[in-house]
């Protein structure tokens, strides 16, 4: 079964809702110029909550072939949780993807695998696709314990999901030492961990889940390194931070298959 690669731009806390529409419009033009074929590489933008409605209106109104989604979600449906945004709210805005457990949320907001697992379940319950992030910090990599560490996270974040649910979700392997540092993991580093994640999924959830689940690499992905990373058999896409804020550059990354 062929997996369509997913190239998702995580804008993080950048672009207000007016800037967001400009960036999506430019991205759309750049993809059209590049004769983008969505069945070969799916493009998505993962935007701040305040941008979602504007991005949705533009994308749906102009029938632009770019998926969109959110960067986080509450584990609750509704209620007295000041500042939180729920999965049903995001589903109502037609979000396709929701990132959960990004390393920045793990680090700055103390998110645990257990919480991330609960959030992923909410995203699935409301018909959206979670992009669940895992990845080791530099100290763990230096000790050579990256596989053990990432598989423990994977176990925690996938707990209680069915094989069918696992087969359609996205796992993003983002080594924390490669995020925003310009320090990109080698294609072999990315493959080593992405391959180990797929093996784990196979052992725990079966062959079909392992064949279906898309595993992205994230960390300093650019148009200059995406082709070699995407050539690895267990890398099914990229979660792109900084480079996704430049429409032309992000379009080049989405169009990696033409290189
Ligand atoms: P950079 O591409 O800026 O390294 O960010 C990666 C990332 O964290 C995407 O979620």
């Amino acid at each position: 079964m062929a997996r369509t690669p997913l190239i998702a731009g995580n804008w993080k806390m950048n672009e207000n809702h007016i800037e967001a529409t400009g960036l999506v419009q430019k991205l759309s033009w750049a993809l059209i110029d590049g004769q983008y074929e969505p069945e070969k590489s799916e493009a998505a933008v993962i935007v701040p909550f305040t941008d979602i409605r504007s991005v949705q209106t533009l994308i749906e109104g102009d029938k632009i072939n770019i998926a969109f989604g959110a960067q986080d979600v509450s584990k609750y449906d509704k209620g007295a949780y000041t500042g939180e945004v729920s999965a049903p709210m995001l589903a109502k805005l037609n979000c396709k993807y929701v990132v959960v457990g990004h390393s920045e949320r793990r680090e700055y907001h103390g998110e645990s695998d257990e919480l991330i697992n609960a959030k992923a379940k909410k995203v699935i319950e409301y018909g959206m696709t979670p992009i669940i992030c895992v990845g080791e910090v530099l100290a763990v990599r230096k000790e050579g314990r990256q596989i053990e560490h990432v598989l423990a996270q994977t176990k925690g974040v996938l707990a209680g999901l069915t094989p069918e649910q696992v087969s359609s979700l996205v796992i993003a392997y983002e080594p924390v030492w490669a995020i925003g540092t310009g320090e990109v993991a080698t294609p072999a580093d990315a493959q080593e961990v992405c391959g180990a994640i797929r093996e784990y999924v196979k052992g725990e959830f079966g062959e079909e889940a392992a064949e279906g689940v898309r595993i992205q690499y994230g960390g300093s992905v650019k148009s200059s390194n995406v082709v070699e990373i995407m050539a690895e058999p267990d890398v099914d896409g990229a979660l792109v931070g900084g480079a996704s804020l430049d429409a032309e550059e992000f379009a080049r990354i989405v169009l990696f298959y033409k290189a």
Side-chain angles (χ1 to χ4, degrees):
M1 188 172 83
R3 297 180 290 271
T4 305
L6 172 63
I7 308 290
N10 174 11
W11 291 3
K12 307 193 179 182
M13 198 174 72
N14 295 291
E15 315 299 324
N16 63 39
H17 73 287
I18 297 166
E19 294 160 341
T21 52
L23 183 50
V24 169
Q25 189 68 73
K26 276 190 204 152
L27 176 60
S28 166
W29 289 328
L31 290 175
I32 291 167
D33 274 354
Q35 294 169 1
Y36 169 55
E37 296 154 277
E39 66 286 356
K40 294 200 177 149
S41 165
E42 182 184 359
V45 289
I46 307 298
V47 306
F49 289 134
T50 50
D51 296 358
I52 296 175
R53 178 63 175 157
S54 308
V55 166
Q56 178 208 14
T57 304
L58 172 63
I59 284 180
E60 292 180 357
D62 285 3
K63 299 191 169 48
I64 293 173
N65 221 329
I66 299 172
F68 60 91
Q71 300 174 7
D72 186 31
V73 68
S74 172
K75 71 168 175 172
Y76 301 108
D77 280 340
K78 64 191 295 190
Y81 303 103
T82 303
E84 294 266 81
V85 173
S86 72
M89 290 170 178
L90 297 176
K92 195 79 184 165
L93 288 161
N94 287 347
C95 283
K96 180 168 182 187
Y97 295 104
V98 182
V99 168
V100 294
H102 191 278
S103 64
E104 288 149 16
R105 301 237 28 117
R106 289 174 183 266
E107 185 181 350
Y108 307 135
H109 302 272
E111 294 200 3
S112 64
D113 291 330
E114 194 185 3
L115 174 62
I116 294 159
N117 175 248
K119 290 182 173 192
K121 285 176 177 159
K122 274 291 159 208
V123 172
I124 294 169
E125 182 184 333
Y126 286 93
M128 300 172 290
T129 301
I131 299 177
I132 309 176
C133 302
V134 294
E136 81 285 357
V137 297
L138 187 59
V140 172
R141 161 79 44 174
K142 281 190 168 155
E143 291 165 8
R145 293 194 300 108
Q146 63 272 17
I147 302 236
E148 171 194 335
H149 180 87
V150 168
L151 294 189
Q153 288 179 325
T154 305
K155 181 176 183 188
V157 296
L158 298 184
L161 295 179
T162 66
E164 201 184 0
Q165 288 171 334
V166 173
S167 76
S168 58
L169 57 74
V170 181
I171 297 172
Y173 167 55
E174 299 204 302
V176 178
W177 48 271
I179 296 179
T181 56
E183 189 80 38
V184 62
T186 66
D189 290 337
Q191 169 58 29
E192 180 194 37
V193 180
C194 292
I197 294 171
R198 198 176 310 282
E199 272 306 302
Y200 171 80
V201 168
K202 189 172 167 186
E204 205 65 26
F205 298 94
E207 182 88 38
E208 270 186 43
E211 284 303 310
V213 66
R214 288 186 289 177
I215 305 174
Q216 297 177 306
Y217 167 78
S220 299
V221 173
K222 299 180 181 57
S223 59
S224 57
N225 57 32
V226 67
V227 176
E228 50 178 354
I229 292 168
M230 288 303 299
E232 295 295 341
D234 287 305
V235 178
D236 305 317
L239 189 53
V240 184
S244 70
L245 299 174
D246 176 336
E248 305 265 316
E249 170 65 358
F250 187 60
R252 284 191 289 272
I253 299 172
V254 173
L255 298 167
F256 76 90
Y257 59 90
K258 287 184 180 268

